[in-house]
Amino acid sequence: MDNIKKLTKMKLFLPIFSMLLVMMINVIYDIASGNPPFGFFSISINNGILYGRLIDVLNRGSEVAILAIGMTLVVSASAGTDISVGSVMSLSGGLCCMLLAGYGVTNVSEYAVPLWVGMFAGIAIACVCGLFNGFLVAYMNIQPMVATLILWSAGRAIGLLLCNSNIVYVRVPSFQFFGAYCGIIPTPILIAAVCVAVASIVLKSTALGTYIQSVGINKKASRISGFNSAKIILLCYVICGLCAGIAGLVATCRIYSADTNNIGLNMELDAILAVALGGNSLGGGKFNLAGSIIGAYTIQAITTTLYALGVSSAQAPVFKAIVVILIVVIQSQPVKDYFKKLSAKKAGAKEAA
Amino acid sequence: MKKKVVSLLVAAMTVASLTACGNSGSDAPAANPAPAPAENQEADPAPTPAESEAPAPAESEAEAEAPAPAADGEVISVGFAQVGHESDWRAANTKNYQDTFSAANGYELSFVDCDNDHAVQIETVRGFIEQELDYICIAPIQSAGWDTVLQEAKDAGIPVLIVDRAVDADPSLYTTALGCDMVAEGEAAGNWLAEYLNGEDANILVIEGSVGASATLGRTEGFNNIVSQNANWKVLDSQSGDFTQAGGQEVMESFIKSYSDFNVVVCQNDNEAYGAMDAMDAAGITYGVDGDVTIISFDATHDGLQYTLDGKITCNVECNPLQAGFAADVIQKLQAGEAVDAWTLVVDEAFVAPGITSNYAVTMSQEVLDGRAY
């Protein structure tokens, strides 16, 4: 009993619980339809690569997981969201492919410039976007949603201009590698894992995490205690831009083309949702990076589940909405308070007995 | 507490927008097979309109060759308000209009690229009315919001042709409409499959386009019409890939895990087919003429037809961008004072991989590919 209590008190309990809940839907469905009950969780090696629905969740969820890192920091430090990340993904992919293919060319099988130049430019432009957002928020004191609204609309448009409104294909195996397979593991999973590892090591081993939280909790007090609040907020937006750039390149390499109209479309909403599902407050302050990452994969688990259940595409958004509402309600304060009261009553009754 | 409420609100908003996404294609185009589906283009901030494009070069050309050798010696002035230049398909469509309504053929074409901006398009049509052109062709960016300007054209006595896509307006406000029939495209794919399978069973997986887009609705309806005529055909599953390569890939990955016994995959545009092929490659499933799975795709873009030529996409049904000839026929009829139909069908073709002959489709060859306008 004590162990269970300890478990439920853990910070990550609810996010993990929510994810398992989503996956349980599959188990119930599989039992009901007479399939092996744990078909969703089975992983095998097929055609020389890892194969299974869980791998799909990890693979397809990579972009949102990478975005969630940056979004968590932005939310924590500035008590606002960066809604430009989806657009910035598209811009970064567009610039990268435009450089690799040459302006106005729509289909190449050879690089026009070395691969690293294109990749570097894509990530650099994303960082510049982050710098721009951060400057507006930290130094101009513009509300985050308004400040990032600018690039939300302009980022994708610039990407379209760079690609001359076309889909630019770069059909080179070394470019496709970043969206395909590295040995038996999908490369996007590895990229996401590296990003998460680097972020958590930096946050754990330096005081940056503490700085960000203290700025988020009270900007003025932090400044008086000697932190450069504006600089820390700026840094968070740059990291968010960097994450968007990496995610954009992963999405681009997956389809070896810059589909600027569609890359990262509505993904800012998924990233924000991931942060919320991870049990983080969108009001800033304390954050829980692991929660956000789990939130990101929970969103992908919902999508993959809907595919697995064969829910028709017209109804899918409604199902997704119901699941999300359930998860958010489970994690809401009134429900938590209710369960706390319930267990207190039980304890009281025990004592009385 | 307050913070939780805020997060709940934001989550709810996210959910609302997720749900809203489903409808984003509802006022979408009758025909846009383009690699960049117009449904998304509409949601996006379109690049700023290029004002410089307004007076089309065709005008000055016509002036230069003043005595146009038209049949009756009279130059017919035509205004064309084009959607934009978002895809190869659109570019081919534009070039086809410019070639057909040339000075040599006795026309004076005022061509305006509206760059996916509805307001610019309305103003363009107003401009055509002020210039008192003989005919106006509109490829509407949006289906809604046309009543006023169409009424103005009607009052000015200028016949209006709605081309390519549809408008939500009273048909009495315009003269005629022409475009592709998406239902017929779906039926063409089904008819070809029936002929190709020749009585064999079919376990079909469908990767649909964007939910609610007219291309999705029409192609699904047409294909299902043929499915219902064949007792041994079964549609195992049908999911939306949003007309994108990433969408097609993700849906196909999931299909492969859910179903092991499919032999036909129908993708409602070429981009989805590219994604589906990548997913099957990764899972080691063979497809195409020599493989286990037959792929049917729509749009017949240049890249798509290249795959058909290579025998990977077995059948590719086009959405014909070469529509100007049909518009010219209508205008010639009106010029001669004849009655025209309320709706003119632009005939689509289907293409099949080399080595297959069909009553419903053209067998693909390098010459066919080279001869394509786009």
Side-chain angles (χ1 to χ4, degrees), chain A residues 47 53 153 165 256 261-262 321, chain B residues 15 40-41 45 86 254 258 278:
Chain A
N47 195 34
R53 295 233 186 246
S153 71
S165 305
Y256 43 90
N261 268 313
N262 293 305
Chain B
V15 167
N40 293 326
Q41 289 253 333
E86 74 280 0
S254 172
S258 300
D278 286 340

Side-chain angles (χ1 to χ4, degrees), chain A residues 282 328, chain B residues 2-16:
Chain A
L282 291 187
V328 177
Chain B
K2 206 175 154 199
K3 285 175 182 176
K4 274 290 169 189
V5 172
V6 172
S7 63
L8 224 161
L9 261 176
V10 170
M13 271 165 58
T14 314
V15 167

Side-chain angles (χ1 to χ4, degrees), chain A residues 49-50 52-66 178-181 185-190 192 250 254 297 300 304, chain B residues 249-250 253 257 282:
Chain A
I49 50 166
L50 282 174
R53 295 233 186 246
L54 273 188
I55 299 297
D56 281 1
V57 172
L58 286 174
N59 184 7
R60 295 276 154 197
S62 306
E63 285 100 319
V64 178
I66 296 170
F178 294 97
Y181 294 87
I185 305 171
T187 324
I189 297 183
L190 293 178
V250 169
R254 237 188 241 289
Y297 289 117
Q300 188 56 43
T304 305
Chain B
Q249 196 180 0
E250 187 172 357
E253 271 178 8
K257 288 172 184 91

